[in-house]
Amino acid sequence: MITLRQLEFALAVAKHRHFKRAAEECSISQSALSLGIAELEKQLDTQIFERNNKQVLITPIGEEILTRAQRIFSEVHDLTTRAHSHQTPLAYPMTVGIIPTIAPYLLPKVLPAMKSQYPNFRMTIVENQTERLLEQVRYGHIDTAVIALPYPVEGLHTFEFWSENFFAVFPSDDVHAKLETIDADELTTANLMLLGEGHCLTDQALSVCHFDKNDMKSNFSEASLNTLIQMALANMGTTLVPDMALDQLHLQNQNAVAIPLAEAGPHRHIAFVTRLNYARVDDVNLLGEVFGQALHADKEAKQKSTANSR
């Protein structure tokens, strides 16, 4: 009989196109993984992989087998979580993906609330770009993901829990730092620096400012958002940051000034996404509620602090 473990081996090899790295992911020896793959191919009487000393290729029939194997894995994962869905909310661990332009700013605001309200809940965080997280959600590698909308999410549940605007970053001695708002034309003359292709923050910024992606390609950078911020503060241009990043921006950079965009907002919406047949969809919705409440509480505390300091 074909085993789930054999299918896991095959999916790992397909993912890495490398037997040694696949064996490391599955926490077994390379010889044991190779034996498992060979037994699977024998059971199916079909060759899934073509391998030599240089590369691993997937045969045409192997592609179909692996696609079905991935569906089986997702169904087994959902079967397991369904068996626990009758328990207390958030009683079962979850793996949550979060994009890099959200994770470092969101987590400090919401994790204390999670710990307070659900102290026994165990959450594993996976950080990656939106496209890869959505793929992992669809294939059952992770339970849910926090992404920024708008973004194509056909075939998935979405639970929006926050919305926010973008701000342009300047050092306090920059001429733009005295502006009340900044529009698209002024961003262009200020040398707007954007994250590389694949980051939804870049696509959303281009959309908000009505920039042509092809015209702006020279402005793309493979640096992180934090690096772009440091470059902006060194008078090398400007970059855009989301509202939730402003706390850390001002805390770490005393001379930083954040100017609101003149374009109407909100500029992006933050949401959980998960599979349509995910057994613990109520838990995902609950996570969104807790995160949203924590963000609102944080915003109200800042507004109160600002009012008291006047």
Side-chain angles (χ1 to χ4, degrees):
M1 290 288 293
I2 296 170
T3 67
L4 285 173
R5 189 66 166 155
Q6 290 169 346
L7 295 180
E8 180 185 5
F9 294 166
L11 291 170
V13 172
K15 174 182 176 181
H16 295 285
R17 303 298 176 102
H18 196 281
F19 273 69
K20 182 178 179 181
R21 288 195 288 272
E24 290 172 351
E25 178 177 304
C26 297
S27 301
I28 58 167
S29 67
Q30 185 173 338
S31 59
L33 180 132
S34 296
L35 184 62
I37 295 293
E39 183 61 29
L40 174 62
E41 292 179 324
K42 180 180 178 181
Q43 292 280 350
L44 295 172
D45 193 24
T46 301
Q47 185 178 2
I48 300 174
F49 300 106
E50 297 177 11
R51 54 268 210 191
N52 55 41
N53 292 332
K54 295 183 178 180
Q55 61 183 346
V56 175
L57 301 176
I58 303 175
T59 65
I61 188 63
E63 292 280 6
E64 181 180 343
I65 290 170
L66 291 167
T67 297
R68 295 190 178 196
Q70 187 62 72
R71 287 204 297 267
I72 292 170
F73 250 77
S74 295
E75 289 294 331
V76 170
H77 179 274
D78 288 342
L79 177 65
T80 303
T81 56
R82 179 60 182 166
H84 294 85
S85 63
H86 66 282
Q87 297 180 359
T88 304
L90 299 178
Y92 192 66
M94 294 179 71
T95 300
V96 179
I98 309 181
I99 61 175
T101 57
I102 290 180
Y105 315 117
L106 174 69
L107 293 177
K109 302 178 188 295
V110 302
L111 290 183
M114 288 299 306
K115 186 66 176 176
S116 173
Q117 297 180 47
Y118 299 94
N120 297 321
F121 176 57
R122 287 184 292 154
M123 180 168 58
T124 300
I125 302 296
V126 175
E127 195 170 333
N128 215 324
Q129 292 186 14
T130 305
E131 183 178 357
R132 294 174 184 172
L133 290 180
L134 294 182
E135 180 181 3
Q136 289 178 302
V137 168
R138 288 190 171 100
Y139 286 139
H141 294 158
I142 62 178
D143 296 288
T144 183
V146 177
I147 68 167
L149 304 175
Y151 196 91
V153 288
E154 289 80 8
L156 295 172
H157 276 306
T158 62
F159 299 93
E160 184 180 324
F161 62 89
W162 192 247
S163 60
E164 60 182 357
N165 292 326
F166 297 145
F167 294 76
V169 178
F170 296 98
S172 56
D173 59 355
D174 189 284
V175 64
H176 299 90
K178 296 179 176 58
L179 296 173
E180 290 189 6
T181 61
I182 186 167
D183 62 24
D185 290 337
E186 290 167 320
L187 284 173
T188 303
T189 60
N191 184 32
L192 176 62
M193 300 176 293
L194 297 168
L195 294 168
E197 293 194 60
H199 288 276
C200 61
L201 179 60
T202 292
D203 292 334
Q204 289 154 5
L206 293 173
S207 176
V208 167
C209 298
H210 307 289
F211 289 140
D212 187 301
K213 192 171 188 175
N214 293 322
D215 294 339
M216 296 292 291
K217 282 193 174 181
S218 61
N219 298 64
F220 293 172
S221 171
E222 294 306 315
S224 67
L225 181 57
N226 187 57
T227 298
L228 292 184
I229 290 172
Q230 298 309 313
M231 293 172 66
L233 296 178
N235 294 107
M236 298 174 66
T238 187
T239 193
L240 299 182
V241 299
D243 193 351
M244 68 171 64
L246 295 185
D247 285 353
Q248 291 189 32
L249 172 68
H250 294 304
L251 182 64
Q252 297 171 1
N253 307 278
Q254 298 298 317
N255 71 323
V257 177
I259 307 300
L261 297 191
E263 279 67 25
H267 300 144
R268 73 172 183 177
H269 302 267
I270 312 302
F272 276 97
V273 294
T274 193
R275 299 179 294 284
L276 294 179
N277 61 344
Y278 182 56
R280 297 172 63 203
V281 67
D282 289 343
D283 276 356
V284 176
N285 189 32
L286 178 57
L287 277 178
E289 291 177 2
V290 175
F291 279 26
Q293 290 166 3
L295 290 169
H296 279 291
D298 177 75
K299 184 175 182 178
E300 289 175 0
K302 285 191 294 185
Q303 290 174 340
K304 185 177 180 180
S305 176
T306 300
N308 289 338
S309 64
R310 289 174 180 171

